[in-house]
Amino acid sequence: MVLAALTALLSLLPLASMLQDTVRRGWQGPASCTQPALASLPAVRGGSVAPGPPQGWPQALLPWSFLCPSLGIWGGRSGSQDNSATAPFPALAGTPRASWVPDPDAPALLRLSDSLLAHYRKGTRPVRDWRTTTTVAIDVMVYAILSVDEKNQVLTTYIWYRQHWTDEFLQWDPACFDNITQISLPAESIWVPDILINEFVDVGKSPDVPYVYVRHHGEVQNLKPIQVVTACSLDIYNFPFDVQNCSLTFTSWLHNIRDINLSLWRTPELVKFDRSIFMNQGEWELLYVLSHFQEFSVKSSDSYAEMKFYVVIRRRPLFYTVSLLLPSIFLMVMDIVGFYLPPNSGERVSFKITLLLGYSVFLIIVSDTLPATAVGTPLIGIYFVVCMALLVISLTETILIVRLIHNQDLQPHVPNWVKHLLLERAAVLLCIRDRKKFSQSRAQSSDISRHVENNDSTAKLNHYGCEDPREREVAGGTRPTPAFGTLAEGSPLMYSILHEITTIRQFLEKRDEFRDVAREWLQVGYVLDVLLFRAYLVAVLAYTITLGALWSVWQYA
């Protein structure tokens, strides 16, 4: 037993010397660009290194070969596994196993691709030390704004997305491969970070880019266009002068910040004002793109890295100004011009009714153009409603004035307080020029009213002129027939003539009274019409100036 043990120990000395020489000759660095030690290893069996000892291994020590699995050469492990986890020599990490031998006659790209992907494991994060954080630098360039759905609060954009990271298992010496410094590899064959957009609500029609660029120092660049359909809180109160701010939040869905961290590819200033590829011919205009990094955690769990891009866009209002605002403004101007029609004519009422019907049809036509949301109503919708209300008020005022003017027969004299407020104070306030005519007509009407009250003194004739001849005959009194003048005064013909004259005079006085009353009410209606028109005009101008100022501020903010 002792002799056998000594024999085994003595046989280990040549083995240690052979292993040291193999390591020294097999990984000398880029100078040789070959791996002779691996070529001398046992034959491949089914894509794996056959678990057999090298030449010269004593047969007596075959049962003790399990003591050297850490060497990663023939310890019974699959050749497809990476040496970085088992090799005791850091220089061996990432090198192909003995199951692959490069063909010196193959093209350099093919040899490089085969050497990188022969035993690459894409399911593991590509770091030699698991404590190392993989930093992914990302960049976004907005290419086009495809659609903005205000009702569903969805924004559809087309962006150019770029990201790069360092893969420690995809490194090589360019001198060994014909000075190749970068190569394109299939994206499905290597590890790719799980960077997603949190606001995704639908899968866009994005083209598939199957390749990535890999540089000799391990930097992997993944460039691809993406059609992004994201949820966005759209504020349409300022439509069509609205500015929208939608965010695109990039984050790793699974890995926390200790495994995957995020950073910007370019500086924030370059990202903010980069409109070099933006298609600037649509409805929306790109103002700028803001970027912000933050850490996110849920209920004291692991923190996750987030990179937010705020896409700020503004609507071009020219189309909506021409198709929505200008027709409404024209109709309102025509309503204001309608006040210059005579108030005592019935054409004003029909004209304003026609305007009101036309505005109703206009609102029905433009209802599909206005954005509809369940949250709020745009200011332009309120503007249309107020314009409709102003048209109704204008029509009501016209009906009131016409009613006031055309029913004088059933109305008494204008009250004194109405005369004082409208025909004196309001006339001065409104700068009405014919105030003297108002005063003269009021004086004449007061004289006529006093004359009507004293009808006996103004309308009564003398005793003979007012007395009926037949009554005097019944009384039995007969007078002698005087001369021609006297006979003419007492004749029945003269009595009938005087009676008719009195009746005509009373009728004329009554008609003049009615005319004066009608004239007074016409003057009151005229002053009231001017007063309401100017109040209506002030309201319309104030409303228009306020909206114009707000929309101007929103447009150039």
Side-chain angles (χ1 to χ4, degrees), residues 479-512:
R479 290 190 177 185
T481 301
F484 176 78
T486 306
L487 291 175
E489 291 179 1
S491 64
L493 180 59
M494 181 59 68
Y495 288 135
S496 62
I497 292 174
L498 293 176
H499 182 73
E500 293 297 333
I501 292 175
T502 304
T503 304
I504 293 172
R505 180 181 178 181
Q506 293 177 354
F507 172 76
L508 294 176
E509 290 176 351
K510 199 69 175 177
R511 187 185 65 177
D512 292 339

Side-chain angles (χ1 to χ4, degrees), residues 175-248:
C176 298
F177 296 95
D178 198 14
N179 293 324
I180 297 177
T181 57
Q182 63 180 9
I183 186 174
S184 61
L185 297 177
E188 61 182 10
S189 300
I190 66 172
W191 180 87
V192 178
D194 57 335
I195 305 298
L196 301 177
I197 301 179
N198 289 342
E199 293 86 357
F200 258 131
V201 294
D202 192 8
V203 179
K205 299 178 181 179
S206 304
D208 185 20
V209 180
Y211 296 99
V212 297
Y213 254 128
V214 182
R215 298 185 181 274
H216 66 93
H217 50 76
E219 178 184 317
V220 182
Q221 294 184 0
N222 187 11
L223 316 177
K224 56 184 176 180
I226 306 176
Q227 180 177 338
V228 184
V229 183
T230 56
C232 179
S233 179
L234 301 174
D235 184 10
I236 62 171
Y237 182 75
N238 302 335
F239 175 87
F241 304 96
D242 51 335
V243 176
Q244 305 297 340
N245 187 352
C246 298
S247 62
L248 302 177

Side-chain angles (χ1 to χ4, degrees), residues 499-536:
H499 182 73
E500 293 297 333
I501 292 175
T502 304
T503 304
I504 293 172
R505 180 181 178 181
Q506 293 177 354
F507 172 76
L508 294 176
E509 290 176 351
K510 199 69 175 177
R511 187 185 65 177
D512 292 339
E513 179 185 1
F514 288 153
R515 286 182 177 178
D516 291 337
V517 172
R519 188 180 297 110
E520 287 183 351
W521 284 110
L522 181 62
Q523 293 169 357
V524 170
Y526 174 73
V527 175
L528 186 62
D529 181 66
V530 174
L531 177 63
L532 294 178
F533 165 67
R534 296 190 180 179
Y536 178 79

Side-chain angles (χ1 to χ4, degrees), residues 25-88:
R25 290 184 295 105
W27 288 278
Q28 293 178 353
S32 61
C33 296
T34 57
Q35 297 173 348
L38 294 178
S40 65
L41 291 176
V44 179
R45 182 174 60 193
S48 303
V49 179
Q55 295 179 2
W57 185 270
Q59 297 294 327
L61 292 182
L62 287 179
W64 304 93
S65 62
F66 69 92
L67 295 176
C68 300
S70 61
L71 295 178
I73 300 177
W74 69 87
R77 300 176 62 90
S78 173
S80 62
Q81 295 179 353
D82 193 4
N83 291 338
S84 61
T86 59

Side-chain angles (χ1 to χ4, degrees), residues 247-468:
S247 62
L248 302 177
T249 305
F250 293 86
T251 183
S252 174
W253 193 256
L254 178 64
H255 299 84
N256 55 35
I257 196 172
R258 293 191 302 271
D259 294 336
I260 293 181
N261 195 8
L262 299 179
S263 64
L264 274 178
W265 189 322
R266 299 181 296 170
T267 61
E269 290 76 13
L270 294 178
V271 175
K272 182 177 181 180
F273 297 106
D274 186 8
R275 293 190 289 268
S276 57
I277 64 170
F278 181 72
M279 295 182 61
N280 201 25
Q281 302 300 325
E283 178 184 354
W284 293 90
E285 175 188 3
L286 178 64
L287 297 181
Y288 47 83
V289 179
L290 300 177
S291 56
H292 175 67
F293 173 80
Q294 67 179 10
E295 294 185 13
F296 173 75
S297 62
V298 180
K299 294 182 180 179
S300 301
S301 62
D302 293 334
S303 298
Y304 296 87
E306 286 186 351
M307 184 66 68
K308 282 183 173 290
F309 292 91
Y310 296 95
V311 180
V312 182
I313 57 178
R314 179 173 60 192
R315 194 193 306 265
R316 290 188 172 92
L318 180 60
F319 170 76
Y320 298 99
T321 302
V322 173
S323 60
L324 298 181
L325 293 180
L326 288 183
S328 177
I329 293 174
F330 291 156
L331 290 175
M332 294 302 298
V333 169
M334 292 306 299
D335 181 66
I336 294 174
V337 173
F339 277 96
Y340 287 94
L341 290 174
N344 56 348
S345 66
E347 296 297 329
R348 182 192 283 191
V349 177
S350 60
F351 178 75
K352 290 187 176 294
I353 290 177
T354 304
L355 283 179
L356 186 60
L357 292 177
Y359 202 86
S360 301
V361 175
F362 167 73
L363 291 183
I364 294 174
I365 294 175
V366 303
S367 60
D368 296 334
T369 308
L370 297 178
T373 60
V375 179
T377 303
L379 183 60
I380 192 172
I382 302 175
Y383 166 75
F384 289 147
V385 172
V386 173
C387 288
M388 175 70 77
L390 290 174
L391 289 176
V392 173
I393 293 173
S394 173
L395 179 59
T396 305
E397 184 266 341
T398 301
I399 294 175
L400 176 63
I401 297 300
V402 172
R403 168 67 176 79
L404 190 66
I405 292 174
H406 285 275
N407 284 335
Q408 304 92 353
D409 296 340
L410 302 178
Q411 294 177 359
H413 288 278
V414 179
N416 293 327
W417 63 272
V418 175
K419 294 179 182 179
H420 178 72
L421 289 178
L422 294 180
L423 300 183
E424 293 180 2
R425 297 296 180 87
V428 175
L429 181 63
L430 300 175
C431 300
I432 298 178
R433 298 179 180 179
D434 51 353
R435 295 192 301 272
K436 296 181 179 180
K437 296 182 179 180
F438 293 166
S439 301
Q440 294 176 1
S441 62
R442 290 198 304 271
Q444 293 176 0
S445 61
S446 60
D447 293 340
I448 292 174
S449 61
R450 288 194 301 269
H451 181 73
V452 171
E453 291 175 359
N454 301 323
N455 190 31
D456 291 339
S457 61
T458 58
K460 186 184 296 183
L461 298 175
N462 52 25
H463 175 72
Y464 296 100
C466 294
E467 186 178 0
D468 195 348

Side-chain angles (χ1 to χ4, degrees), residues 41-196:
L41 291 176
V44 179
R45 182 174 60 193
S48 303
V49 179
Q55 295 179 2
W57 185 270
Q59 297 294 327
L61 292 182
L62 287 179
W64 304 93
S65 62
F66 69 92
L67 295 176
C68 300
S70 61
L71 295 178
I73 300 177
W74 69 87
R77 300 176 62 90
S78 173
S80 62
Q81 295 179 353
D82 193 4
N83 291 338
S84 61
T86 59
F89 311 105
L92 302 182
T95 58
R97 301 287 302 275
S99 59
W100 177 81
V101 178
D103 184 5
D105 297 331
L109 280 177
L110 183 59
R111 287 189 290 110
L112 178 58
S113 175
D114 292 341
S115 65
L116 293 176
L117 301 180
H119 301 287
Y120 186 88
R121 298 190 62 182
K122 66 178 182 179
T124 305
R125 191 165 58 91
V127 291
R128 305 185 189 279
D129 185 1
W130 65 272
R131 302 175 186 86
T132 303
T133 300
T134 301
T135 301
V136 181
I138 62 177
D139 186 24
V140 169
M141 302 175 68
V142 180
Y143 182 75
I145 306 297
L146 300 182
S147 67
V148 178
D149 189 353
E150 294 89 356
K151 182 177 182 180
N152 297 319
Q153 299 285 291
V154 172
L155 172 68
T156 304
T157 56
Y158 196 81
I159 64 174
W160 287 6
Y161 175 67
R162 306 189 300 173
Q163 62 181 3
H164 74 83
W165 65 94
T166 300
D167 192 322
E168 298 181 6
F169 297 152
L170 296 177
Q171 299 176 354
W172 71 91
D173 184 7
C176 298
F177 296 95
D178 198 14
N179 293 324
I180 297 177
T181 57
Q182 63 180 9
I183 186 174
S184 61
L185 297 177
E188 61 182 10
S189 300
I190 66 172
W191 180 87
V192 178
D194 57 335
I195 305 298
L196 301 177

